[in-house]
Amino acid sequence: MSIAKTYNPREAEDKWYSYWMENGFFRSIPDEREPYTIVMPPPNVTGVLHMGHMLNNTIQDVLIRRARMQGKNACWVPGTDHASIATEAKVVAMLKEKGIDKKSITRDEFLKYAWEWKEKYGGIILKQLEKLGASCDWDRTKFTMDPDLSEAVIDTFIKFYKEGYIYRGVRMVNWDPQGKTALSDEEVIRKEVNQKLYYVRYFIKDSNEYIIIATTRPETIMADTAICINPLDERYKHLQGKSVLVPLVNREIPVIQDEYVEMEFGTGCLKVTPAHDLNDYELGQKHNLEVIDILNDDGTLNEKAQILVGEDRFAARKKVIALLEEAGQIEKIEDYKSHVGFSERTDAVIEPKLSMQWFLKMDHLAKPALEYVENGEIKLIPDKFFASYKHWMENVKDWCISRQLWWGQRIPAWFNDKNEWVVAKTEAEAIAEFEQQGKSTTAIRQEDDVLDTWFSSGLWPLSVFDGVRNPENEEFKYYYPTNDLVTAPEILFFWVARMIIMGHDYTQKPPFRNVYLTGIVRDKLGRKMSKSLGNSPDPIELMEQYGTDGVRVGMLLSSPAGNDLMFDVSYCEQGRNFANKIWNAFRLVKGWETTDAPATEAQKTAAQWFESRFNQALTEIDEHFANYRLSDALMATYKLIWDDFCAWYLELVKPAYQAPIEAETLETVKALFQKVLKLAHPFMPFLTEELWHDELFGQRDAKDCIIVADFPAVEGYDEKIIKDFTIVQQIISEVRNIRNSKGISPKIALPLAINGAELDYAKFKESIIKLANIEDLTFVNEKVSGAVSFLAGKNECYVALENNIDVDAEKERIGKEIEYLKGFLNSVDKKLSNERFVQNAKPEIVENEKNKKADAEAKIQILEESLLSLG
């Protein structure tokens, strides 16, 4: 086929993705090969592709493509999460637009709308991932509320309940008044906010005396059931055994004593509101205080508040302050900063609330999950996250697993007319259980609450292979445990820890071996990318503008594991330029005519050098992959292709203008080009597949695609030829630099004399003459006067410029370079004369400094001699 002047990413992407799908290259079924398995962190069905998804799924695709090329049975399982809170909020909003109130319809009617919404919008993000080139096994696509996955969730609940891990009880929970559901601690985001600290007067009963209480939440005053003082606080000894009156409602409450109160904070007096503060609740339990809950589920005040009934909590705060001021009970108001909890899903301010909920005991279950990471069976990459993981696992609290929603797996608990309950999979089993216990079977109804989304997604690596319901099935035994998990640090506890807990509980094995934790994608100002800030580009638009390969490269160039990515579209431009560089190199090679003449010795030497350099770089790249340094692996690939292959190898072997190239050399170039394309494929799948099928490489069978080509394996390489060619590169670069600095045309051939025998120059003479445009290359045993000199390795090189040089300007240039080198030499000498440095530094570091010193001294000597030779 003819190759276009410029690469058309859109055409190549649509063509090759369809081709891969049609030929089943993403499909995986168990066979005799080693499996390599990744389960995709299932994005919410409410979601559309954002920059975090781009980064996460690009990394997964690079890993899966490389494994596939290494001959492993690569299986990447995609899917979506039902996301109870977020999805229910979307459906409620949709119904509101239609004039339908959720409260006015039945659960079944609501779920019908929810499923319709899911079918319409839930697959958007997966289609967008196809645009990214994600080579998932789409036939395995799962949804966390698929019937088989939901059954696994219900079975797990029943299993944990029977084992004594699940219990039901009234506890203080994090309540989201907007979502109207409980949240786990991990779903609460703590933010520092500017508040007011209100100093309120509480009058002592039967007295005109009052005490002052500092509070940030005056709207909860009506729920106060005690005032607490520290027994050691001399200021309040006189209050022992007395009562005070709650402002505005004049209810009598006792003064209690407890060392919990900090005497230095506020006024040293604490209002105790057991229904609306976790610490107050525990204090109330200790002192047997009444619990008065004055808030409805939606955050409005109820009848127990006695005043402002029906008002929203924040509106009530303002009105309470006005009433207190009117009553003369505000002492003062101060600005105050404190941390407040917000719902991760709705961003509503969290209310501590007493609620009947279902809980999973975590203490025993968490221990093996910590041990896996401690003993290295599961590696966190980077390991800097281990400390926070360990802290969380050692201080884990019981998990509130119930949510007051309709969208999700409904808890398999059943109640009778007496509000007695049993846990059972079906209503029939529940009736049988009630009968066995001799209890009423009248008016049987199922629990309204659903399970926390993380409870279902915690089973993901198990349930996608049906490992909960059928642990002996062939696929589960073949693919589980999975290999690598790529996810974000912020869900290390939400999701990763829970998968480890559940995986161990079912299989006594970890669900994966490595957890690659990506960073947060930020803009160049360091701000997290978000729609609200308007600083997040549309990934689809980026791929349209720069090509998918360009965007993939741009994302990975600056994304070391666990560190935030400071994203700028210039990275995508760099990625696009890289794609164009490869395309143009290919156009160059494809345009060569051939001759039957054998390859020259210089061309053979160039090929030997690049083969060795390729294998040296591949060794480095494989090591980067082994340590999950994907950004470094890409950069090493980038430099190998851009610098070594394009800028050096192709320039070394290309024929003179309009001259043919030796057929033998062209075959070598084609073979090396294909190796380069294989190396680049995991990062740049579309461009490499497009070039792979060009007629330059001959006719290929339908299945002969680069996606399943053998990934290059490291072969032995000649370190000496790499070292020698480094000196050759220095010589060529220095001659080019001399031309640039002196304004000499590249077309003017220059004489070059070399004094030194560090390498076999006969082997490289032709290459030096060609790339440095040398008219006369000679080898001397003495210095050449009147010439510009430089050092390449340990070899002194001289370029006689004759009339092409401004002597005074050259003297000035050499003088400045000598001055710089002497300053550098002085800094190295200081380091080497520092006994502490010499004694404590590694021997190779000290040796490196000594080499720097010798190199600087040699350069200074040559420059000084050059200065003398100029007269």
Side-chain angles (χ1 to χ4, degrees), residues 16 19-20 25 65-66 68-70 673-682 684-693 697 700-712:
W16 291 114
Y19 191 86
W20 293 329
F25 287 125
R65 285 180 182 273
R66 180 170 177 268
R68 188 183 289 120
M69 294 176 77
Q70 289 176 318
F673 212 135
Q674 288 177 88
K675 291 178 76 169
V676 161
L677 291 177
K678 288 180 183 180
L679 197 59
H681 176 76
M684 310 175 79
F686 295 109
L687 170 69
T688 52
E689 194 72 84
E690 177 77 5
L691 295 179
W692 183 259
H693 290 270
F697 297 127
R700 297 194 187 276
D701 296 334
K703 297 280 187 177
D704 184 4
C705 293
I706 198 169
I707 189 174
V708 287
D710 293 336
F711 194 78

Side-chain angles (χ1 to χ4, degrees), residues 116-332:
E116 286 175 357
W117 188 94
K118 182 265 176 189
E119 292 306 317
K120 185 175 181 179
Y121 298 106
I124 291 175
I125 192 165
L126 297 184
K127 295 302 292 182
Q128 291 176 320
L129 288 176
E130 292 182 12
K131 172 69 176 168
L132 180 64
S135 56
C136 305
D137 185 345
W138 296 108
D139 292 340
R140 293 183 176 276
T141 303
K142 296 292 184 181
F143 174 53
T144 50
M145 277 177 60
D146 285 341
D148 54 336
L149 272 69
S150 286
E151 185 178 4
V153 171
I154 300 306
D155 289 348
T156 301
F157 182 96
I158 294 170
K159 172 183 178 293
F160 279 142
Y161 176 76
K162 288 179 177 178
E163 292 171 350
Y165 290 118
I166 286 178
Y167 64 92
R168 183 172 182 259
V170 175
R171 297 287 186 278
M172 182 71 73
V173 297
N174 304 299
W175 187 262
D176 178 346
Q178 186 172 324
K180 298 189 184 73
T181 182
L183 301 178
S184 64
D185 289 343
E186 294 75 46
E187 292 169 297
V188 177
I189 309 300
R190 309 293 298 184
K191 302 178 188 177
E192 187 177 69
V193 298
N194 293 318
Q195 295 199 93
K196 299 289 185 183
L197 192 60
Y198 303 94
Y199 289 80
V200 182
R201 297 169 182 168
Y202 283 62
F203 282 90
I204 300 168
K205 185 186 177 187
D206 300 328
S207 167
N208 290 326
E209 186 185 352
Y210 58 81
I211 56 173
I212 299 172
I213 310 287
T215 179
T216 59
R217 303 202 58 198
E219 72 277 11
T220 65
I221 280 174
M222 296 81 77
D224 291 351
T225 56
I227 296 297
C228 191
I229 58 174
N230 191 304
L232 302 177
D233 196 332
E234 294 294 333
R235 295 173 295 173
Y236 301 117
K237 287 280 187 184
H238 66 290
L239 294 179
Q240 292 180 15
K242 294 191 177 182
S243 299
V244 299
L245 299 176
V246 176
L248 304 182
V249 295
N250 290 323
R251 179 165 38 81
E252 182 182 343
I253 59 174
V255 175
I256 63 173
Q257 300 176 76
D258 199 288
E259 292 182 356
Y260 166 76
V261 178
E262 296 179 24
M263 292 186 285
E264 295 78 19
F265 177 76
T267 63
C269 289
L270 176 74
K271 68 191 276 304
V272 185
T273 319
H276 300 292
D277 183 273
L278 177 59
N279 294 319
D280 287 9
Y281 175 71
E282 292 175 355
L283 198 59
Q285 293 290 98
K286 181 178 178 181
H287 291 274
N288 297 313
L289 297 178
E290 183 183 3
V291 178
I292 303 173
D293 185 349
I294 65 167
L295 290 178
N296 295 313
D297 287 351
D298 62 357
T300 57
L301 272 61
N302 61 31
E303 290 77 7
K304 292 179 182 177
Q306 299 181 50
I307 60 172
L308 304 176
V309 175
E311 292 279 357
D312 177 77
R313 54 189 168 151
F314 296 121
R317 178 179 298 178
K318 293 178 181 178
K319 291 183 178 181
V320 164
I321 292 304
L323 290 170
L324 289 169
E325 286 179 326
E326 188 180 327
Q329 289 185 267
I330 291 288
E331 180 77 13
K332 62 177 178 176

Side-chain angles (χ1 to χ4, degrees), residues 312-523:
D312 177 77
R313 54 189 168 151
F314 296 121
R317 178 179 298 178
K318 293 178 181 178
K319 291 183 178 181
V320 164
I321 292 304
L323 290 170
L324 289 169
E325 286 179 326
E326 188 180 327
Q329 289 185 267
I330 291 288
E331 180 77 13
K332 62 177 178 176
I333 301 173
E334 293 179 346
D335 290 329
Y336 182 69
K337 284 188 177 182
S338 66
H339 284 85
V340 174
F342 289 79
S343 167
E344 188 214 17
R345 296 297 183 194
T346 66
D347 203 37
V349 174
I350 291 301
E351 279 292 339
K353 181 177 174 62
L354 281 171
S355 180
M356 178 66 78
Q357 302 287 344
W358 295 86
F359 294 87
L360 179 65
K361 296 177 183 177
M362 293 290 283
D363 184 44
H364 176 74
L365 292 171
K367 286 184 173 64
L370 175 57
E371 289 170 4
Y372 280 130
V373 178
E374 282 184 322
N375 65 25
E377 285 188 70
I378 295 176
K379 290 185 173 65
L380 300 183
I381 302 160
D383 59 8
K384 69 178 183 180
F385 292 104
F386 172 69
S388 57
Y389 178 84
K390 185 173 189 286
H391 175 77
W392 190 83
M393 298 303 279
E394 288 180 337
N395 297 278
V396 69
K397 296 177 181 177
D398 287 356
W399 175 13
C400 176
I401 56 174
S402 46
R403 297 291 180 267
Q404 289 63 56
L405 303 165
W406 283 349
W407 177 248
Q409 285 93 5
R410 197 169 177 180
I411 289 174
W414 306 80
F415 297 82
N416 62 18
D417 56 338
K418 296 180 180 178
N419 218 35
E420 297 165 323
W421 55 272
V422 295
V423 169
K425 196 167 186 176
T426 64
E427 183 175 351
E429 290 179 15
I431 291 171
E433 182 68 24
F434 276 126
E435 288 175 342
Q436 187 178 343
Q437 295 181 16
K439 295 178 180 177
S440 169
T441 56
T442 303
I444 300 297
R445 70 186 191 282
Q446 189 175 354
E447 166 69 86
D448 283 327
D449 292 355
V450 299
L451 282 158
D452 179 14
T453 300
W454 299 107
F455 190 92
S456 61
S457 59
L459 293 169
W460 188 246
L462 297 159
S463 57
V464 295
F465 298 115
D466 205 16
V468 173
R469 302 186 313 156
N470 182 16
E472 294 303 313
N473 81 77
E474 179 188 3
E475 291 207 338
F476 183 64
K477 289 193 289 185
Y478 181 75
Y479 290 116
Y480 188 93
T482 65
N483 294 76
D484 297 323
L485 178 74
V486 181
T487 190
E490 56 262 34
I491 56 174
L492 182 57
F493 315 119
F494 278 124
W495 188 48
V496 178
R498 280 145 182 183
M499 284 191 289
I500 300 172
I501 286 168
M502 292 185 174
H504 172 80
D505 188 75
Y506 268 107
T507 69
Q508 305 300 299
K509 296 176 184 175
F512 28 71
R513 304 298 182 193
N514 303 289
V515 181
Y516 181 106
L517 297 159
T518 64
I520 296 170
V521 183
R522 299 185 181 276
D523 64 18

Side-chain angles (χ1 to χ4, degrees), residues 627-758:
N627 291 285
Y628 294 85
R629 297 191 295 262
L630 269 66
S631 180
D632 294 337
L634 171 58
M635 184 52 72
T637 303
Y638 182 99
K639 289 178 178 177
L640 176 74
I641 296 174
W642 190 295
D643 296 338
D644 298 309
F645 185 70
C646 296
W648 287 103
Y649 176 65
L650 292 183
E651 291 299 314
L652 284 165
V653 301
K654 80 175 182 182
Y657 180 64
Q658 292 189 334
I661 190 171
E662 293 77 3
E664 181 185 354
T665 297
L666 181 59
E667 289 305 309
T668 303
V669 170
K670 285 156 60 176
L672 293 174
F673 212 135
Q674 288 177 88
K675 291 178 76 169
V676 161
L677 291 177
K678 288 180 183 180
L679 197 59
H681 176 76
F683 303 107
M684 310 175 79
F686 295 109
L687 170 69
T688 52
E689 194 72 84
E690 177 77 5
L691 295 179
W692 183 259
H693 290 270
D694 189 89
E695 61 192 12
L696 178 69
F697 297 127
Q699 295 300 312
R700 297 194 187 276
D701 296 334
K703 297 280 187 177
D704 184 4
C705 293
I706 198 169
I707 189 174
V708 287
D710 293 336
F711 194 78
V714 175
E715 299 170 6
Y717 58 89
D718 184 344
E719 291 188 20
K720 186 176 186 308
I721 198 171
I722 295 172
K723 184 179 178 182
D724 287 351
F725 193 73
T726 300
I727 298 172
V728 172
Q729 289 173 306
Q730 286 180 344
I731 293 170
I732 295 167
S733 297
E734 287 290 347
V735 173
R736 289 173 174 174
N737 288 339
I738 289 169
R739 273 200 173 86
N740 289 335
S741 64
K742 306 295 181 290
I744 300 170
S745 169
K747 295 180 180 179
I748 297 176
L750 299 173
L752 174 66
I754 299 174
N755 179 5
E758 192 177 353

